[in-house]
Amino acid sequence: MSVITTRQDGDVLVVTSNNPPVNALGQAVRAGLADAMAQAASDDSIKAVVITCEGRTFFAGADITEFGKPPVGPSLPDVIDTIEASKKPVIAAIHGTALGGGLEVALGCHYRIAIASAKLGLPEVKLGILPGAGGTQRLPRVVGVEAALPMIVKGDPIPAAAAERIGLVDKLVADDQLVESGVAFAKSVIGAASHPVSSARTDKIDSSLGDDFFDNFRKIEMRRLKGFEAPEACVQAVRAAIDLPFEEGVKKERELFGKLVSGTQSQALRHVFFAERAASKIDGIAADTPVLPINQVGILGAGTMGGGIAMNFLSAGIPVTILEREQDALDRGVSIIRKNYERSAARGKFTAEQVEQCMARLTPTLDMNDLADSDLVIEAIFENMDVKKDVFAKLDAIVKPGAILASNTSYLNVDEMAAVTKRADHVLGLHFFSPANVMRLLEIVRAAKTAPAVLKTAMALSKKIGKVAVVAGVCHGFIGNRMLSPRQQAANAMLMQGIKPWDIDDALTDFGMPMGPFQMSDLAGLDLGWNKEKSNSETIRDVLCERDRRGQKTGKGFYDYDENRRRTPSAEVEEIIAGFVAKSGETPQSYSAEEIRDRLLFPMVNEGAKILEEGMAQRASDIDTVWINGYGWPAYTGGPMFWADTIGLDVVVEGLKAYGHQVSPLLADKAAKGEKLNS
Ligand code: CAA
């Protein structure tokens, strides 16, 4: 059956797309829409057109899988121009998500109606491109530059009610009567003297907005978008909507789009989009594997981690019982959860009522027996195997049969924990990243005996609580922390070759990481695991801690910090390090910023390849997903494995050899064959 079908309802032609799962505007859809518009134009009995979609959503955008392939007509801009040029009014009837090219189709229509749950947006910027089918020129003309600019530059969709307020949607209609309402709307405008044509509108364009307005927007709204190329191109395109007539503006848009779509950043960000979706697919699990119901969660430990984990479930409407050993610690934990919610409410993320609803779902307790009815219990206690084993044995005896027991360990062997229970098939790791209520990543650790249903349940649950989950095997540090370790070793080795900590950190922040290894140490506290009594000035860390340079909390560590926690290099630290270098007998080295970066990142790629080799990650793109969502690896490089593919695996292998590393056989093999890690 054709993906586009038409039927006549009186004098209205109803054009319906059925292209699951998201009605992406692939070639067949575009051709079908063009044919439908031709039918409407040539048939005198048709006086208006309604465009709508079946399934879960209105067109969710261009078909991303077509990017980078030779284009096959009709092009989306042409189809939209045809719709807009129709003498007969065209109405978009929107449900689900009208995104990207989908919203551009709607903007080409003369009118837009939507149900309340619909969302509308131009998220192209997140794929490293800009709306390339007239969106940057039509949206400002329909809603004004001030409303259009953030939608295009930041890419976040807005709810239908907000869209109605800014004039993007003409009417909100009842959920179960979208098409009927579309037809009724169409009938009501047949015979009107004229219909609004988005590209011809000038009423919303404020031509007084100049450099100041755009510079101010860049300063305030684009700070977090440092390193990304597309946002600036979006600003320039929107600016063209003020400065140029529509036809010229569209040319500018195409020119900017062309540059972005063929660039590395957009390839990387498309990779990230598909990588996140691929991550949710678990190898070796039958399609009919059931998802277990999780209606009640228990959490052990009300510290920073336990509290953060609890908030995920509370916010998703799932009741949580949280356990601590002492009343004080329990009270403190609960009050921090409340404070976090109140802070979010102050920023407009929750209403006061929602805060109370979340808190009402929380039951604090000192008695482990209160976890008995939980469907899932997550321990977030001290990182020590004996303590964890003890807790797992106790939980196994108390918590009802069939419930899942999970460890939030960041390094330890989940198989060992499972072995002390009688339900090893219901044990797995759920490694959240701090702050657990904010960070998007969840590593699901598949232990040797974890049942498929348990894994599938964890994956489904991760979606429910808004996480991006990746399945990892049991190995020290799983995917993320395991790869952090060779980077830290490389950083320490360079320190001992006389490279300054700030040059090492800067190499990573210039690359786009939020911070380097020494900034990270200062943030975490250098005295983590340091013992004052036993300290004997043996390591750089010993000396720093002995001099009370214990990190940001004491105002100094590898760096000196001002009252705003801004770092400056420290002469004292430089001297301490120089002393160690002299003592070691190493010849001080000097590396370019690029070499410092490669010395830090190539060993990570190598470790990633070993992780793949050992089957600890299902696919290279899962590793990219971990690093982007858990450690702030710059998404516009696609993640460590994609980045390595981009610069060439042969370059990475040569570098590793030159820096004295043992190269992973898988990496060496792929490099020799000219293959990529992400194939
Ligand atoms: N093209 C191709 N495939 C797409 C797609 C698109 N635009 N959007 C989603 N899909 C695929 C996904 O890859 C996924 O495939 P698998 O099941 O094989 O993994 C499937 O559709 C379902 O997607 P999700 O798992 O993401 O489903 P969801 O319900 O969680 O979310 C969504 C639905 C909100 C529409 C989300 O998929 C999304 O945000 N899609 C991208 C929207 C977008 O960026 N549109 C702009 C495209 S670029 C453009 O339009 C350029 C232009 O100007 C012409």
Side-chain angles (χ1 to χ4, degrees):
M1 208 178 88
S2 168
V3 287
I4 297 287
T5 49
T6 57
R7 70 176 167 86
Q8 226 170 309
D9 186 330
D11 45 10
V12 177
L13 184 73
V14 179
V15 180
T16 306
S17 170
N18 185 6
N19 184 29
V22 296
N23 281 305
L25 287 149
Q27 194 276 335
V29 177
R30 299 194 302 272
L33 283 175
D35 289 347
M37 291 313 298
Q39 180 190 347
S42 63
D43 186 337
D44 287 343
S45 71
I46 297 170
K47 303 276 187 261
V49 180
V50 171
I51 298 180
T52 190
C53 292
E54 270 179 15
R56 62 205 232 210
T57 179
F58 192 76
F59 308 112
D63 186 338
I64 306 169
T65 58
E66 285 183 355
F67 287 12
K69 295 182 187 156
V72 184
S75 76
L76 190 57
D78 285 350
V79 173
I80 294 171
D81 287 347
T82 307
I83 293 172
E84 194 181 55
S86 165
K87 297 269 178 301
K88 303 170 183 180
V90 186
I91 293 92
I94 300 169
H95 76 293
T97 42
L99 299 179
L103 181 56
E104 290 175 301
V105 167
L107 284 163
C109 296
H110 305 98
Y111 303 96
R112 290 156 292 278
I113 65 164
I115 62 171
S117 59
K119 289 195 168 147
L120 299 87
L122 293 173
E124 284 88 340
V125 70
K126 298 186 182 186
L127 296 169
I129 52 173
L130 50 68
T136 65
Q137 304 306 300
R138 286 194 178 91
L139 186 65
R141 285 174 166 81
V142 171
V143 303
V145 170
E146 278 162 290
L149 191 61
M151 282 183 74
I152 294 172
V153 176
K154 298 206 278 182
D156 297 326
I158 57 169
E164 191 199 21
R165 276 198 296 280
I166 60 173
L168 179 55
V169 163
D170 297 294
K171 193 175 178 194
L172 293 180
V173 300
D175 284 16
D176 54 351
Q177 294 190 352
L178 179 60
V179 179
E180 294 85 332
S181 304
V183 171
F185 193 99
K187 289 185 174 160
S188 76
V189 295
I190 290 172
S194 66
H195 304 290
V197 172
S198 301
S199 67
R201 283 178 65 173
T202 52
D203 54 309
K204 291 277 184 83
I205 295 287
D206 178 356
S207 50
S208 72
L209 297 176
D211 289 344
D212 285 356
F213 168 77
F214 287 97
D215 286 345
N216 200 35
F217 179 85
R218 283 185 184 98
K219 212 160 67 199
I220 297 170
E221 302 289 349
M222 288 167 60
R223 247 186 332 205
R224 281 159 169 251
L225 303 172
K226 208 173 135 238
F228 287 87
E229 289 162 0
E232 177 54 30
C234 289
V235 172
Q236 289 176 21
V238 174
R239 177 102 209 222
I242 301 180
D243 296 344
L244 302 174
F246 181 77
E247 290 71 24
E248 295 296 314
V250 164
K251 268 192 209 141
K252 174 90 182 167
E253 177 191 273
R254 293 280 344 144
E255 180 197 318
L256 291 164
F257 179 87
K259 267 193 219 147
L260 291 173
V261 79
S262 55
T264 318
Q265 287 207 354
S266 129
Q267 282 171 36
L269 289 163
R270 266 178 276 149
H271 163 73
V272 171
F273 177 84
F274 287 114
E276 276 188 15
R277 281 149 186 89
S280 65
K281 302 187 168 82
I282 311 172
D283 290 346
I285 288 198
D288 59 354
T289 306
V291 171
L292 311 174
I294 304 291
N295 299 318
Q296 171 74 42
V297 172
I299 292 175
L300 259 81
T304 313
M305 210 59 207
I309 295 172
M311 289 178 73
N312 288 294
F313 297 102
L314 299 172
S315 304
I318 303 174
V320 171
T321 303
I322 194 160
L323 174 79
E324 256 300 345
R325 279 183 307 186
E326 310 283 343
Q327 189 67 47
D328 276 2
L330 187 61
D331 292 344
R332 207 168 35 244
V334 171
S335 83
I336 290 173
I337 293 177
R338 174 173 280 284
K339 274 203 198 98
N340 281 340
Y341 272 124
E342 284 170 353
R343 210 172 306 138
S344 298
R347 275 193 254 114
K349 286 196 171 166
F350 290 97
T351 62
E353 194 190 353
Q354 283 169 325
V355 172
E356 293 315 318
Q357 284 166 350
C358 288
M359 290 308 294
R361 289 184 197 112
L362 181 67
T363 309
T365 182
L366 296 173
D367 183 356
M368 197 184 268
N369 290 305
D370 290 342
L371 303 183
D373 287 333
S374 305
D375 301 304
L376 163 71
V377 179
I378 306 171
E379 67 76 14
I381 55 169
F382 191 54
E383 194 73 335
N384 172 295
M385 183 54 91
D386 292 333
V387 180
K388 301 241 188 220
K389 276 185 181 165
D390 184 49
V391 154
F392 267 84
K394 284 188 181 134
L395 283 173
D396 189 40
I398 290 174
V399 182
K400 68 182 180 191
I404 301 173
L405 305 183
S407 171
N408 176 52
T409 178
S410 23
Y411 287 96
L412 300 176
N413 186 324
V414 183
D415 285 328
E416 275 189 49
M417 299 175 213
V420 301
T421 72
K422 293 189 187 69
R423 59 175 101 190
D425 57 341
H426 275 60
V427 174
L428 81 173
L430 291 178
H431 180 209
F432 289 82
F433 286 70
S434 192
N437 52 319
V438 178
M439 296 296 286
R440 287 182 79 213
L441 180 67
L442 175 67
E443 277 181 332
I444 298 180
V445 185
R446 178 181 206 162
K449 293 190 177 155
T450 310
V454 171
L455 274 177
K456 195 167 169 184
T457 302
M459 191 53 86
L461 193 61
S462 72
K463 250 203 158 182
K464 196 162 180 186
I465 61 173
K467 299 285 180 213
V468 175
V470 169
V471 176
V474 176
C475 57
H476 191 69
F478 315 120
I479 297 173
N481 284 343
R482 177 169 163 181
M483 286 167 68
L484 199 55
S485 161
R487 188 184 88 177
Q488 188 65 48
Q489 282 165 19
N492 293 344
M494 277 194 274
L495 218 51
M496 292 307 289
Q497 294 177 324
I499 312 296
K500 314 270 186 296
W502 27 97
D503 290 336
I504 296 174
D505 285 342
D506 288 352
L508 290 186
T509 51
D510 289 348
F511 179 70
M513 300 289 296
M515 61 179 84
F518 300 108
Q519 289 168 279
M520 210 156 119
S521 305
D522 275 359
L523 184 67
L526 295 179
D527 54 356
L528 222 103
W530 173 74
N531 186 325
K532 195 173 179 178
E533 276 66 48
K534 292 188 185 153
S535 185
N536 53 8
S537 313
E538 241 176 37
T539 63
I540 295 173
R541 180 180 78 156
D542 281 348
V543 177
L544 292 178
C545 287
E546 286 161 16
R547 296 198 193 178
D548 211 29
R549 302 194 66 99
R550 289 185 285 126
Q552 283 196 13
K553 59 184 168 191
T554 57
K556 51 191 185 169
F558 280 99
Y559 296 90
D560 292 331
Y561 291 90
D562 67 11
E563 60 285 359
N564 296 319
R565 300 200 161 197
R566 261 192 309 253
R567 64 182 171 129
T568 41
S570 149
E572 186 186 4
V573 171
E574 207 170 324
E575 204 185 298
I576 296 170
I577 295 173
F580 273 88
V581 176
K583 247 194 315 191
S584 75
E586 286 233 33
T587 320
Q589 303 288 338
S590 155
Y591 301 131
S592 68
E594 196 186 17
E595 181 166 350
I596 295 176
R597 181 199 67 195
D598 292 350
R599 282 178 175 266
L600 293 165
L601 301 188
F602 287 1
M604 294 178 68
V605 174
N606 199 33
E607 196 65 35
K610 288 182 197 166
I611 287 173
L612 278 178
E613 217 162 73
E614 294 166 21
M616 294 299 157
Q618 301 190 101
R619 43 190 94 81
S621 62
D622 282 6
I623 298 177
D624 292 332
T625 301
V626 163
W627 270 85
I628 288 168
N629 292 288
Y631 300 82
W633 184 287
Y636 52 76
T637 70
M641 309 313 261
F642 188 88
W643 176 72
D645 286 338
T646 317
I647 59 171
L649 298 186
D650 49 343
V651 174
V652 177
V653 167
E654 282 316 307
L656 283 166
K657 284 183 186 159
Y659 310 147
H661 293 278
Q662 186 101 39
V663 180
S664 130
L666 179 114
L667 182 59
D669 184 53
K670 287 205 177 272
K673 290 186 185 146
E675 291 176 2
K676 291 178 184 288
L677 290 162
N678 278 290
S679 47

